[in-house]
Amino acid sequence: MPTIIPIRDLAKTAQISEMCHESKEPIFVTKNGYADLVVMSASAYELQQAKYEMYQAIIEGREDELNGRLRDGFDVMNELGAKYGLRKI
C-alpha cells in the first residue's frame, strides 16, 4: 500500500526522510486531494533508475533481434582475434 501525505506535511522534513528510508518506497504527496509530487530516498531512486536502464537495454536488444541486427558472438570474437593477432576461439 503506497504512503500518501498531504503537501502541508512536507514541512516535516526529518520525518519524511525517515519514512522514505524505512519504507524504501516512494511517498506520494497530494495537493487539494490530487497527486502532485513523489518523494523517495536517493538509494530508492538510484535502484529505480538502474532497473529502468536495464529494461531499456533489454528492449533495445529485443528490437535488434527482431530487426536482424545481431551477430554470433563467436564470429565477432574470431574476427577481433584475427584483427589483433589473437588465437581463434
Side-chain angles (χ1 to χ4, degrees):
M1 181 92 161
T3 302
I4 302 170
I5 62 170
I7 200 162
R8 70 177 173 272
D9 286 357
L10 286 179
K12 304 172 188 174
T13 55
Q15 181 182 359
I16 291 172
S17 174
E18 187 176 316
M19 288 169 52
C20 286
H21 289 285
E22 284 177 2
S23 71
K24 297 182 179 22
E25 295 289 328
I27 295 174
F28 295 88
V29 182
T30 60
K31 182 177 180 182
N32 297 324
Y34 296 96
D36 187 50
L37 303 170
V38 177
V39 181
M40 64 176 58
S41 69
S43 60
Y45 175 78
E46 289 169 358
L47 178 61
Q48 189 167 359
Q49 284 301 109
K51 287 179 183 178
Y52 173 78
E53 290 171 10
M54 179 186 67
Y55 294 143
Q56 283 301 111
I58 291 169
I59 290 168
E60 288 175 21
R62 182 70 174 131
E63 288 173 353
D64 285 344
E65 178 187 17
L66 293 173
N67 292 305
R69 293 188 299 254
L70 294 181
R71 295 182 55 206
D72 181 74
F74 287 110
D75 292 343
V76 172
M77 294 304 291
N78 286 328
E79 286 177 24
L80 289 171
K83 182 176 179 179
Y84 295 105
L86 303 172
R87 67 178 177 84
K88 192 172 184 174
I89 296 176

